[in-house]
Amino acid sequence: MAGNTFGTLFKLTTFGESHGPAIGGIIDGCPAGLKIDADIILHDLSRRRPGQSMITTQRNEPDDFEILSGIYQGVTTGSPIAFTIQNKDQRPDDYAAMKTAYRPSHADFTYDQKYGHRDHRGSGRASARETAARVFGGAIARQLLSNSGIKIDAYVSAVGPFKMSDNYELVDFSKIESNIVRCPDAELANKMINYLEELKKKGDTTGGVITCVIKDVPAGLGEPVFDKLHADLGKAILSINAVHGFEYGSGFAGAAMTGSEHNDLFKKQGSKIVTSSNNSGGIQGGISNGMDIFFSCCIQAGFNINDGAENSE
Amino acid sequence: MAGNTFGTLFKLTTFGESHGPAIGGIIDGCPAGLKIDADIILHDLSRRRPGQSMITTQRNEPDDFEILSGIYQGVTTGSPIAFTIQNKDQRPDDYAAMKTAYRPSHADFTYDQKYGHRDHRGSGRASARETAARVFGGAIARQLLSNSGIKIDAYVSAVGPFKMSDNYELVDFSKIESNIVRCPDAELANKMINYLEELKKKGDTTGGVITCVIKDVPAGLGEPVFDKLHADLGKAILSINAVHGFEYGSGFAGAAMTGSEHNDLFKKQGSKIVTSSNNSGGIQGGISNGMDIFFSCCIQAGFNINDGAENSE
Amino acid sequence: MAGNTFGTLFKLTTFGESHGPAIGGIIDGCPAGLKIDADIILHDLSRRRPGQSMITTQRNEPDDFEILSGIYQGVTTGSPIAFTIQNKDQRPDDYAAMKTAYRPSHADFTYDQKYGHRDHRGSGRASARETAARVFGGAIARQLLSNSGIKIDAYVSAVGPFKMSDNYELVDFSKIESNIVRCPDAELANKMINYLEELKKKGDTTGGVITCVIKDVPAGLGEPVFDKLHADLGKAILSINAVHGFEYGSGFAGAAMTGSEHNDLFKKQGSKIVTSSNNSGGIQGGISNGMDIFFSCCIQAGFNINDGAENSE
Amino acid sequence: MAGNTFGTLFKLTTFGESHGPAIGGIIDGCPAGLKIDADIILHDLSRRRPGQSMITTQRNEPDDFEILSGIYQGVTTGSPIAFTIQNKDQRPDDYAAMKTAYRPSHADFTYDQKYGHRDHRGSGRASARETAARVFGGAIARQLLSNSGIKIDAYVSAVGPFKMSDNYELVDFSKIESNIVRCPDAELANKMINYLEELKKKGDTTGGVITCVIKDVPAGLGEPVFDKLHADLGKAILSINAVHGFEYGSGFAGAAMTGSEHNDLFKKQGSKIVTSSNNSGGIQGGISNGMDIFFSCCIQAGFNINDGAENSE
């Protein structure tokens, strides 16, 4: 089965290898009449881009994109939106060493088993560069959701042993971009940076946790049974390179709570029904209840014994 | 969008409300010629059944099933397998109280928001009784996988504050069924049972963690990018009632490891390529590598302030 | 790949063999709050039923149905609607002869090739009895569409060499049910009936054409490119047993027209834009234009040399 | 719902407007290790190209393509194959007149109704230029099928009132390319060409019929019930611009035959089971039976009163 499509009504199909001519994708199902701000796409692509600091991998590509269809005079037409992102930095030779060994914790071995070959120029299709196409799709989706008043923020809540408190309500989202690890706690961010730089000197790296908060989602979204809102969110997040876990609401810690502690009691707030706590993470029975949706995922370190490159790209 | 189907090649569609005449489903895509052992189905349905002890909810149904198509003289025909499981214990009146209040941490409120009504006879479609249809589907799938030598075991690894060690390799799977909480560590199981009984006296309950190990999966299964093997597993597990988190391989704890600690080095074992550690949980780049696949999920306690029933059914 | 599901938002999955205990299906995605008239379902099932006359196959089953979920107190709940239709007339022995021969123009041989076996009790899954589950699904869909003012009528426009004129606008739909072949032209209907009875005496049968007209479809329905409205209609109709062709609008005859003859000119009718002719059959670029949608399909005769039964069931 | 994807295991998603920068698509699910001959792709794209004669529309584009991913050193990698075909002849001004009128029998009006706007530069997404992306996909698929020995040929069997006999077995496929209408009957081809040229002088055009024959398909392909092989073929063909009908095997003419005439009797041919006639068109119960698969479709003339251009592009 092909596995390069995500979504049903708003559907993203992506393509591209890390060291081929380009990566990109097609968004099918985006409604007509949506005004698209190209700067938001560029901004999101730059945020994703590795090589922004000494910390992450050195490859530095501006990630210019081209839109081939579906947007006319800055507005979506209802037709599929096709886009490409050039790979300006194709360096097949740097990776020659890989020809002889499977890199640990990479997809070299499994792709070889599945497809009978592997692309030794970088990670090929399994490269984290693939996520640039997701970021493009997300930048369109975010503009669509923003029209409905939905706000999405995410930040790094842990790097190695350094962890923020679990309570996202204490977080000042405006501080997320103020440091290169994107941890809104300035003091902790410094510790994270120092730790990463020390590891880097030893040719090592580490993992971390990202927390995401979605505000002002109307109640009633999501499907029952197999396509629960958090199950689809979980699949999306788990499909990102190096993610090894997903939890929402009270998550793994919440499993130790008693039912009486964990229950989110309903109450009236003006004409609206809300819950007095939010251990459910904004989702009950797989359907949004109007409270904040929040979740975390963990990302494992990759480490290449052959050339010291990190697993991202 | 309808949300009652899971899978692509082997596809399960389920139906049924907790207090309607029956629940059931259709399995489409099961290969022809598979010998089906009805006792395995019955056994798996009994394992799922609540009311096996003082600990879980009181509702006690034998869960007889009927197969309406797709199996002829004990062998699958390649046609869709339809099955029903009668609801023998329809008690609409017990739930009359719910008509007046949304139960906390249940789907009463969100179903009402989505569908404009809710089924006050139990949880309707959102009831955990829905999982009986999954168990039926799983019992067929397990017989199919078993023919390829794949073995699947799962056990309770935590209840409230009582947790087993993370290392599943120390677990004796033959002990899983030896106590009612299905924790293979007998001493810990006793503590769990005592804790649950004490909570029950107070009309309370708690959550837990289940760990699953899949052995002898051939390398090369799973898809790249969006349909990674662990992403599909994660979606399946997260879609089960009350599950709030999923992690595989080194999971959330592994995010604090350094790359050099976390890497699973390849080595030769006879003619086979294996890894010396298994932080990847048997999956790399979304594709199985032939090592054990293992994952855990957390299940939150539900608690009904109206009648003390647990959230399961 | 499983092939027993049709539709995306309103999705029907069916099951059942002609001589197993029951056939049936699950409708997933039917909106909540739709009032269901069971008499309409019964009426449609009786229309489909063979054995209504001397003309069609002798098997006579009342086709009672049972609804297992998704409808509560006569109103849809938004949950999947599961239904079963009992096979009261299970006659495995009548078909014993088939064990030794592939019936011509049936699926005996191809099922054997695909699944490695065949169900010699009737046609198994390939029996036209499978269409009873479609009729049930259609009876629900028709009640949903009827709420939007959409009207669907179909009639027999040809049997063997006897054909009605192509112009459906001359047809009086109220006459469709006035004879057993359901041809609204009484005189032609008599000829058809006589012809079929003569053929029957010789143990033979023939094919025919059905024409369908859908009125008051709003403009703008259907999708571009691969999922054009008429492509989905065509697939649905072609998937019915014994259908060998589908045409809409001017159809095969229209291919001989010149462009200037064939063009449907737009004009204003009050505030509405309509076309002065309707060779497009109400669909342009795969999307409805608000005019009548009409199409025809041909159904080939089946004939069983073993027992003289027709191909339908 | 998005409608720009076709297929399940081998899945084509296309994009592009007639007068945007490029059209193209992504093929997901093509097996790894398939040698791709670029000349076959170029050849098929040139066959499709309008402007090859005085007969069809004047627009003349070489249809160069670029492959962005999924093929490395001439061999498929198992990753999605992305391709673009530049629109070298972007002439938005020629179409300025359309801004003021809906062209008859085009999608101008329906796209306007569906999307709230239309692309007045040509037909936008509804242009027949979209089929170039299908041809690219087909050229890959044909190379894959050719490895299994499957052969596909198609020819023009009717133009306006000029029709070939129905019996494809009398057709010499090697003559298909010997004239510009691609009718393998030289004499009839001349009549078709003369007729089209006369119509062209009057600024008019006409429709026609295409017949396709697929040889050496193994028995057992296709799915039961809704996804019958001919139903999927029919949907694919009906989704091509201007196609108004599809028939396979004996088709509409076959509906007038009696059952005894129509039946394809099985017989042994060496160790193989074949049928002595082929009214079933190689498909029984939706599944291939190993005989030739053949079908026809009709294509209606389009005619633009504004500028005399044909409907194709």
Side-chain angles (χ1 to χ4, degrees), chain B residues 153-171:
Chain B
D153 283 288
Y155 55 93
V156 169
S157 54
V159 166
F162 301 97
K163 294 183 199 199
M164 290 178 68
S165 120
D166 275 351
N167 191 345
Y168 75 85
E169 292 185 10
L170 306 174
V171 171

Side-chain angles (χ1 to χ4, degrees), chain D residues 259-301:
Chain D
S260 53
E261 289 165 349
H262 194 272
N263 267 339
D264 298 323
L265 299 180
F266 287 103
K267 63 176 184 187
K268 280 227 161 186
Q269 197 170 73
S271 64
K272 224 184 135 188
I273 290 172
V274 299
T275 58
S276 45
S277 55
N278 190 11
N279 289 310
S280 299
I283 302 172
Q284 290 175 324
I287 296 166
S288 63
N289 67 359
M291 304 297 290
D292 293 347
I293 293 176
F294 61 98
F295 61 83
S296 293
C297 66
C298 60
I299 299 193
Q300 258 63 344

Side-chain angles (χ1 to χ4, degrees), chain B residues 19-34:
Chain B
H19 292 269
I23 65 166
I26 300 174
I27 299 165
D28 199 7
C30 186
L34 178 69

Side-chain angles (χ1 to χ4, degrees), chain A:
Chain A
M1 296 297 303
N4 297 284
T5 297
F6 194 84
T8 307
L9 295 178
F10 184 100
K11 185 156 49 173
L12 174 66
T13 302
T14 67
F15 69 86
E17 290 82 44
S18 52
H19 292 270
I23 65 165
I26 299 175
I27 299 164
D28 199 7
C30 186
L34 177 69
K35 237 189 133 179
I36 296 299
D37 183 341
D39 286 341
I40 291 179
I41 304 173
L42 263 182
H43 172 261
D44 285 1
L45 284 174
S46 331
R47 275 193 87 210
R48 188 210 74 90
R49 194 161 33 113
Q52 297 175 58
S53 70
M54 292 305 291
I55 292 170
T56 51
T57 177
Q58 302 306 319
R59 198 173 153 179
N60 196 328
E61 307 196 6
D63 280 340
D64 278 349
F65 62 87
E66 189 185 5
I67 290 173
L68 298 177
S69 67
I71 297 178
Y72 182 53
Q73 299 178 335
V75 178
T76 60
T77 63
S79 288
I81 300 169
F83 61 95
T84 55
I85 304 169
Q86 298 300 312
N87 288 333
K88 288 179 187 163
D89 185 18
Q90 303 177 33
R91 301 176 305 171
D93 294 342
D94 288 22
Y95 291 84
M98 293 177 202
K99 257 181 143 161
T100 53
Y102 296 124
R103 289 170 299 164
S105 301
H106 282 64
D108 300 343
F109 172 68
T110 54
Y111 269 58
D112 203 350
Q113 291 291 305
K114 185 176 184 68
Y115 298 112
H117 75 94
R118 68 191 164 108
D119 192 337
H120 58 271
R121 306 162 300 155
S123 297
R125 183 65 182 147
S127 162
R129 181 153 175 76
E130 168 263 314
T131 58
R134 301 182 186 225
V135 167
F136 186 102
I140 302 286
R142 214 145 59 90
Q143 296 185 51
L144 182 60
L145 294 175
S146 157
N147 284 359
S148 307
I150 294 174
K151 284 178 278 300
I152 306 173
D153 283 287
Y155 55 93
V156 168
S157 54
V159 166
F162 301 97
K163 294 184 198 199
M164 291 179 67
S165 118
D166 276 350
N167 191 344
Y168 74 87
E169 291 186 11
L170 306 174
V171 171
D172 180 353
F173 295 157
S174 74
K175 297 275 163 52
I176 295 174
E177 300 289 327
S178 58
N179 59 66
I180 51 171
V181 285
R182 293 196 174 98
C183 171
D185 177 330
E187 203 176 329
L188 203 63
N190 274 337
K191 290 180 186 164
M192 291 171 175
I193 293 169
N194 290 338
Y195 180 62
L196 287 167
E197 283 174 348
E198 269 170 57
L199 285 174
K200 195 173 170 63
K201 281 179 206 155
K202 293 184 265 180
D204 209 343
T205 181
T206 190
V209 176
I210 294 173
T211 298
C212 178
V213 183
I214 312 174
K215 284 177 175 289
D216 296 322
V217 177
L221 298 188
E223 299 302 325
V225 187
F226 294 110
D227 294 343
K228 292 188 166 88
L229 183 48
H230 58 266
D232 274 335
L233 271 176
K235 176 171 175 176
I237 297 300
L238 286 162
S239 76
I240 297 171
N241 279 22
V243 172
H244 278 59
F246 170 90
E247 58 179 8
Y248 79 103
S250 61
F252 277 90
M257 295 166 77
T258 63
S260 52
E261 288 165 350
H262 195 273
N263 268 337
D264 298 322
L265 300 179
F266 287 103
K267 62 177 185 184
K268 280 228 161 187
Q269 197 170 74
S271 63
K272 223 182 135 187
I273 291 172
V274 298
T275 58
S276 45
S277 55
N278 189 12
N279 288 311
S280 299
I283 302 173
Q284 291 175 325
I287 296 166
S288 63
N289 68 0
M291 304 296 291
D292 293 348
I293 292 175
F294 62 97
F295 62 83
S296 292
C297 65
C298 60
I299 298 192
Q300 259 64 343
F303 176 69
N304 188 331
I305 51 161
N306 290 312
D307 62 9
E310 286 147 65
N311 90 333
S312 48
E313 295 194 356

Side-chain angles (χ1 to χ4, degrees), chain D residues 211-263:
Chain D
T211 298
C212 179
V213 183
I214 312 174
K215 284 177 175 290
D216 296 321
V217 176
L221 298 189
E223 299 302 325
V225 187
F226 294 111
D227 294 343
K228 292 188 166 89
L229 183 48
H230 58 266
D232 274 334
L233 271 175
K235 176 171 175 178
I237 297 299
L238 286 161
S239 75
I240 297 171
N241 279 22
V243 173
H244 278 60
F246 170 90
E247 59 180 7
Y248 79 102
S250 62
F252 277 91
M257 294 165 78
T258 63
S260 53
E261 289 165 349
H262 194 272
N263 267 339

